[in-house]
Amino acid sequence: MKRTILQTSLVLLTIIFLVSQIFAAKVGDPAPLFTGNASNGKTYNLSNLQGKFVVLEWHNQGCPYTEKHYDSGNMQKLQKEWTGKGVEWFTVISSAQGTQGYVSSNDENSYLSKMKAAPTAALLDPSGQIGHMYGAKTTPHMFIINPKGVLIYDGAIDDRPTTDKSDINGAKNYVSLALEEAMSGKPVSTATTRPYGCSVKYSN
Amino acid sequence: MKIQAIQIVRLALILVAVGNPALQALSTAIPHGTVELVAEHNSIQPGNNFQVGLKFQLEKGWHIYWINPGDAGQPPRVTWNLPPGLSAGDILWPYPKALSAFSLVDFGYEDEVLLLVPMQASTSLKPTAQTNLSADIKLIVCQDVCIPGKTSLSLSLPVTAQAPAANTSARVSFESARQKIPKPAPASWKFSVADRKDSFYLNVVVGRPIKEAFFFPLEESQIENATPQKVLPSKSGFAVALKKSRQLTKPIQRLRGVLLLGDKAYNINAPVARTN
């Protein structure tokens, strides 16, 4: 019995690995379609969001790089600004159960209200399925999908790879820059950057 | 009798410490470890360049990062505060270890590492009993989780006209640190890189077959750090297949990094040819 479980997990892991190798998102290509369960109880399907800009923000509330952007209010400000302009913003949590950042729906809902965070929703992805589809590596790691469903940005939130809140002022925010350019019909000038942060705590 | 022996040893240690205050650089705490500024010589001579070391000691399981941290993390950042006449160069990074966790790979150091920093000493330095070298360090220390830290270090050394004597207690760690700093490859070796489909093939000719090698990329986001590197031995060397980064959307002109063969590390800077 034990062996069967082990074998099944190995097969599953192999499948996840292969899928992530084949379908890992790439800027300029159609963004991988996903269905995500949110902490608010709703289910979100990327294919239903065509016609809108979508931002994915990988998140781990215990990671000091994430804390930099939440304790300073920077992430909340971006969420408010861009959802106000019609962007669908998803905070995605791929921490496996038992690792840092793993949360229940209730935990996440209290966190969102305590932090006055304003994403469209927070997607709980403890299996890492969405994370592997996009090749999310760090928290934060940001992706932008255009209204045609094409991935147009993959990378860091800004150009200051530190945990210091004092580095936010004056930083070049790649997410805002890409959204501004794409919304005014221009090509995204900086479409990939190295994401910085803590590693995403996948199950392995 | 035993107690006496211990007391003598303690007394001796205290005497060494008191007699040589300059070299008793204090180690300061960082998250899950310590760091100290270590001198290789007991004094500074005007016009005689030297090196100092940042010695990190980490609790088991914790690590800090190489200049290219890989998929996550960040290398330590050092800001020097030096007297006029002294200036610090860039850190001479020893080759790192590939640290695998959560299906990602980082490049860093566990346990203990000495980061050497070249110091330029101007001929105009004036002899003095004590001159103070200090450094502010910001870093992130990670296990499964990461903890940021910062600290200040200092080291006092006399400036004398005489040639400096070696700090014997640091000799071994400086020597072993130097062995881990990547060297230029022998002039007879040949390097080339082929850009073919989803991979780069780093071809190396050394005059004998090589079965094991590892390439640490210096630039971020050129190769997939977590994809196992396949070494293909040939009669006169080998090729190593490096999967291109998903984030790489434009061709690259050169591949730069560190090639590790056994315990010898070499700097690589090879032009990339597209072959398709």
Side-chain angles (χ1 to χ4, degrees):
Chain A
M1 189 60 195
K2 229 176 180 174
R3 194 162 164 178
T4 323
I5 294 171
L6 187 70
Q7 281 173 340
T8 316
S9 335
L10 276 175
V11 169
L12 269 174
L13 275 177
T14 312
I15 290 171
I16 289 175
F17 179 74
L18 289 175
V19 166
S20 68
Q21 292 292 300
I22 298 164
F23 295 112
K26 197 166 182 177
V27 164
D29 289 350
L33 296 177
F34 63 83
T35 303
N37 297 320
S39 65
N40 62 15
K42 293 186 193 163
T43 298
Y44 293 86
N45 200 322
L46 185 64
S47 54
N48 295 339
L49 299 170
Q50 289 243 339
K52 291 185 164 179
F53 281 96
V54 176
V55 169
L56 304 178
E57 168 221 336
W58 257 267
H59 181 87
N60 164 359
Q61 58 173 265
C63 162
Y65 293 93
T66 308
E67 287 173 331
K68 167 190 177 184
H69 293 285
Y70 274 87
D71 292 350
S72 61
N74 185 47
M75 193 68 84
Q76 298 91 319
K77 201 182 95 197
L78 291 167
Q79 292 166 344
K80 283 189 188 107
E81 179 186 351
W82 293 109
T83 54
K85 291 177 183 167
V87 171
E88 301 281 328
W89 183 299
F90 296 98
T91 297
V92 189
I93 301 164
S94 298
S95 295
Q97 193 161 7
T99 66
Q100 189 190 47
Y102 173 83
V103 283
S104 68
S105 293
N106 283 342
D107 295 339
E108 182 57 14
N109 292 337
S110 338
Y111 174 82
L112 292 172
S113 82
K114 186 182 89 185
M115 300 308 289
K116 299 188 170 65
T120 306
L123 304 180
L124 307 182
D125 179 44
S127 69
Q129 200 188 351
I130 306 175
H132 285 301
M133 268 184 188
Y134 279 80
K137 288 181 174 156
T138 59
T139 52
H141 186 166
M142 311 298 293
F143 295 85
I144 305 174
I145 300 157
N146 75 7
K148 289 180 182 154
V150 173
L151 188 67
I152 57 166
Y153 180 75
D154 164 3
I157 180 165
D158 63 25
D159 64 347
R160 304 265 176 91
T162 70
T163 56
D164 299 336
K165 289 194 254 314
S166 60
D167 281 328
I168 291 172
N169 244 332
K172 186 185 198 177
N173 192 288
Y174 293 128
V175 176
S176 290
L177 198 66
L179 283 169
E180 278 158 21
E181 288 172 338
M183 283 185 179
S184 56
K186 290 181 199 153
V188 174
S189 53
T190 306
T192 55
T193 57
R194 175 189 178 260
Y196 72 84
C198 308
S199 53
V200 174
K201 314 304 180 198
Y202 290 116
S203 53
N204 72 342
Chain B
M1 192 58 198
K2 216 174 182 184
I3 291 170
Q4 262 186 353
I6 290 170
Q7 278 173 338
I8 290 166
V9 170
R10 278 178 65 182
L11 188 65
L13 284 173
I14 290 165
L15 284 175
V16 168
V18 170
N20 207 345
L23 299 171
Q24 287 301 302
L26 298 172
S27 77
T28 64
I30 53 171
H32 298 277
T34 57
V35 58
E36 72 182 289
L37 189 51
V38 187
E40 187 176 15
H41 296 98
N42 294 344
S43 62
I44 297 171
Q45 185 185 30
N48 194 351
N49 296 341
F50 60 102
Q51 294 183 347
V52 293
L54 296 162
K55 185 177 187 175
F56 293 85
Q57 290 182 292
L58 300 159
E59 288 172 19
K60 197 169 171 53
W62 293 83
H63 60 267
I64 58 168
Y65 294 91
W66 187 47
I67 184 167
N68 171 9
D71 287 335
Q74 186 184 10
R77 283 154 303 147
V78 185
T79 312
W80 289 95
N81 188 0
L82 300 169
L86 280 187
S87 60
D90 292 334
I91 293 173
L92 304 171
W93 299 92
Y95 69 82
K97 191 173 163 187
L99 304 161
S100 160
F102 303 113
S103 66
L104 301 175
V105 169
D106 294 342
F107 303 127
Y109 309 101
E110 296 178 309
D111 305 319
E112 187 179 311
V113 63
L114 188 70
L115 301 181
L116 301 185
V117 180
M119 288 284 165
Q120 210 169 5
S122 155
T123 48
S124 67
L125 264 181
K126 295 276 172 291
T128 172
Q130 295 283 300
T131 193
N132 196 49
L133 286 66
S134 67
D136 293 326
I137 297 191
K138 286 185 178 178
L139 82 176
I140 188 138
V141 184
C142 299
Q143 188 192 39
D144 291 347
V145 300
C146 298
I147 302 173
K150 55 181 168 184
T151 190
S152 296
L153 304 173
S154 74
L155 176 69
S156 287
L157 290 171
V159 177
T160 60
Q162 293 82 37
N167 171 9
T168 47
S169 66
R171 184 178 287 154
V172 173
S173 48
F174 272 79
E175 278 171 6
S176 80
R178 268 188 202 112
Q179 284 172 7
K180 290 179 180 146
I181 295 170
K183 308 283 183 297
S188 62
W189 293 12
K190 287 187 178 65
F191 298 93
S192 62
V193 181
D195 173 340
R196 202 178 308 141
K197 292 183 181 157
D198 66 352
S199 299
F200 295 113
Y201 293 83
L202 170 62
N203 297 295
V204 185
V205 177
V206 302
R208 65 194 154 92
I210 298 271
K211 284 185 188 140
E212 274 180 56
F214 192 87
F215 179 75
F216 294 100
L218 204 53
E219 316 273 345
E220 301 166 341
S221 310
Q222 288 189 338
I223 70 168
E224 285 295 335
N225 303 316
T227 303
Q229 299 183 3
K230 200 189 286 174
V231 178
L232 312 156
S234 68
K235 264 184 199 160
S236 57
F238 65 98
V240 55
L242 308 162
K243 177 107 187 284
K244 284 183 194 171
S245 165
R246 180 180 50 80
Q247 283 200 322
L248 199 63
T249 49
K250 288 179 197 145
I252 60 168
Q253 304 305 314
R254 302 190 79 85
L255 188 67
R256 299 197 304 137
V258 169
L259 184 67
L260 186 63
L261 301 177
D263 61 355
K264 301 262 189 302
Y266 302 98
N267 285 314
I268 305 292
N269 182 347
V272 177
R274 296 182 78 182
T275 58
N276 282 328

